[in-house]
């Protein structure tokens, strides 16, 4: 499957059309941004690492019956996926207080939440991706109530699968961001990526951060941490098949 | 009924105990604050005006079977109310985009919303009263889901009553903030006040602002606008009884 026209370039990926109108290629970039792109940089090999981590996790979720857009890896940084129209919310699931939740609720980072907590952010760079509630989703006609309920249930299911999975490879799944989309046929799929760019992952023993907070907060060892996550994920379960 | 110990002094009211442990006195102040008390001032006769507008509206809501804490006015600025423990959320109902909603969703001020929209803000001055969702309410143990559902239904009912009421006296009810509390017996009551401090009210014909935005935004004619709202509300319905 070859890349045809560039359809869209985002902060971390470039999307290409393919000869099949129902399939696209996501090419993962090394570019890193934070704080709504006010901070910019590059993380060596991030494209490769995130493509492969995402492939592992999407495959695992598929096995657990969470429908998602992943088809296969085409190269180190290129992922063939089903084409969806992205629903304009970022769905955040949190197990442990960190980042904006700590600020919003006045919780110290690291406080374990009573139960997984779901937030919706309106995907709008100009507005700074503001937190919104279900009434805002309806007002903005982002999606209908039935779809939003399904999205919330799927997001919580992803957490139920990935939280113990990451625990089994020595990491705490602190929080993560998901995006969803609908195919031409109206099927709701988990889309985008799942990687240290979109998850907070802490070492289970030391609480060392192994995610994009190392870049956001200038903690150093950014590349090493991303690679460490891949190493742990690769050590377990699905292996990326070699391409013929 | 006489004021006994001062129980609490807020930004706009002082709360006193009475000889009856189930009743308190709310004394309305002329002090005005905005932007989480970063802006401070005085509005002449605001205490009087807000006590009387609130009394009118609480009386009207009582007639329409919305349980609330209002008992009677004791003087121009003093209101006898049932004692409740305030639930730590500010419930905002919006009919027309203004203020923080305009900023959050990128809506021009004045855009009529598809249907009334409800937001919850965590009552915490140090955190700047952040927007929260139902999962945050649960995480913070602010109240249980059943109570929150009742609060939302009551808030929407208040809107159903007050929106046409204000329309009948020449004003658009743009948005408003409510607070709720529980009595010792566990009864859920609408509490606090309903006034130009807590509602956005625009003249139906001219869209002239007749509320606290005149103070917030230094628009002038602050006292006159508050008094205009009282005049219109007094012209219609419930009259404050003269005290023996």
């Amino acid at each position: 499957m070859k890349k045809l026209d560039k359809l869209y370039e985002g902060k971390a990926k470039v999307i290409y059309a393919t000869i099949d109108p129902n399939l696209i290629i996501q090419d993962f970039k090394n570019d890193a941004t934070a704080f709504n792109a006010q901070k910019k940089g590059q993380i060596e090999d991030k494209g490769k690492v995130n493509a492969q981590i995402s492939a592992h996790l999407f495959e695992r979720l598929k096995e657990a019956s969470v429908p998602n857009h992943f088809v296969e890896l085409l190269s180190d940084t290129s992922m063939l996926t089903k084409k969806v129209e992205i629903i304009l919310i970022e769905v955040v699931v949190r197990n442990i207080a960190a980042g904006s939740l700590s600020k919003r609720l006045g919780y110290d980072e690291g406080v374990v939440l009573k139960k997984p907590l779901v937030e919706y952010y309106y995907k709008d760079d100009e507005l700074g991706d503001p937190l919104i509630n279900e009434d805002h989703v309806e007002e903005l006609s982002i999606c209908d109530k039935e779809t939003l309920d399904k999205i919330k249930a799927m997001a919580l299911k992803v957490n139920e699968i990935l939280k113990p999975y990451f625990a089994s490879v020595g990491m705490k799944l602190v929080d993560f961001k998901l995006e969803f989309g609908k195919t031409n046929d109206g099927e709701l799929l988990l889309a985008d990526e799942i990687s240290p760019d979109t998850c907070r992952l802490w070492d289970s023993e030391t609480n060392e951060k192994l995610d994009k907070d190392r870049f956001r907060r200038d903690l150093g060892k950014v590349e090493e941490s991303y690679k460490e996550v891949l190493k742990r994920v690769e050590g377990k379960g699905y292996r990326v098949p070699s391409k013929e």
Side-chain angles (χ1 to χ4, degrees), chain A:
Chain A
M1 195 70 77
K2 276 186 191 147
K3 292 175 191 169
L4 299 180
D5 292 347
K6 189 202 273 196
L7 296 177
Y8 174 77
E9 176 151 7
K11 283 172 273 187
K13 293 184 291 293
V14 189
I15 309 295
Y16 297 93
T18 69
I19 198 168
D20 183 334
N22 296 316
L23 296 175
I24 55 155
I25 292 170
Q26 289 196 151
D27 210 27
F28 286 69
K29 303 195 287 186
N30 290 339
D31 296 351
T33 63
F35 312 116
N36 198 22
Q38 284 170 46
K39 176 169 183 157
K40 291 181 186 185
Q42 287 258 324
I43 300 172
E44 202 192 301
D45 290 334
K46 180 169 83 76
K48 270 192 219 176
V49 168
N50 281 1
Q52 286 172 59
I53 293 172
S54 287
H56 278 283
L57 298 175
F58 280 132
E59 195 61 34
R60 188 142 209 109
L61 290 168
K62 200 176 279 180
E63 284 164 15
S65 303
V66 177
N68 65 68
H69 72 160
F70 178 68
V71 179
E72 60 177 353
L73 280 183
L74 300 174
S75 77
D76 275 0
T77 60
S78 279
M79 180 182 284
L80 185 68
T81 71
K82 290 185 191 163
K83 187 176 182 181
V84 295
E85 179 151 4
I86 288 288
I87 293 167
L88 292 178
I89 43 176
E90 302 194 339
V91 181
V92 173
V93 182
R94 299 176 181 271
N95 297 303
I96 295 174
S100 71
L101 185 84
S102 290
K103 283 202 197 94
R104 186 173 301 275
L105 304 191
Y107 276 29
D108 286 337
E109 195 160 90
V111 170
V112 176
L113 304 179
K114 284 181 202 145
K115 53 180 233 182
L117 183 155
V118 178
E119 295 173 333
Y120 307 121
Y121 292 86
Y122 181 28
K123 259 180 84 69
D124 187 308
D125 284 341
E126 252 181 69
L127 298 173
D129 299 334
L131 179 75
I132 55 176
N133 68 25
E134 299 198 1
D135 279 14
H136 298 126
V137 172
E138 201 174 337
E139 169 59 35
L140 292 162
S141 301
I142 292 175
C143 67
D144 58 33
K145 176 82 172 79
E146 196 194 333
T147 302
L148 192 64
D149 288 347
K150 272 192 208 163
I151 284 175
K152 184 168 183 175
M154 278 171 76
L156 287 169
K157 187 169 177 189
V158 169
N159 188 51
E160 272 169 38
I161 295 158
L162 294 190
K163 194 181 152 193
Y165 172 72
F166 278 114
S168 76
V169 292
M171 288 181 275
K172 292 181 191 173
L173 180 57
V174 173
D175 56 39
F176 56 97
K177 183 265 288 184
L178 300 176
E179 296 187 21
F180 293 84
K182 280 194 175 173
T183 63
N184 268 337
D185 299 338
E187 194 192 2
L188 181 66
L189 297 179
L190 175 62
D192 195 47
E193 65 176 284
I194 309 177
S195 73
D197 268 11
T198 64
C199 301
R200 282 196 173 88
L201 295 164
W202 296 354
D203 181 85
S204 299
E205 295 298 314
T206 63
N207 281 335
E208 193 187 8
K209 296 179 201 311
L210 299 170
D211 56 59
K212 193 166 148 186
D213 274 343
R214 301 207 73 86
F215 168 76
R216 280 192 198 96
R217 304 181 189 182
D218 298 316
L219 301 175
K221 294 200 295 178
V222 183
E223 291 81 3
E224 293 88 323
S225 298
Y226 276 64
K227 285 177 183 169
E228 177 63 25
V229 173
L230 176 58
K231 208 177 100 190
R232 295 190 190 186
V233 168
E234 272 189 329
K236 187 118 184 178
Y238 171 77
R239 294 209 161 264
V240 178
S242 56
K243 293 287 116 196
E244 57 272 40

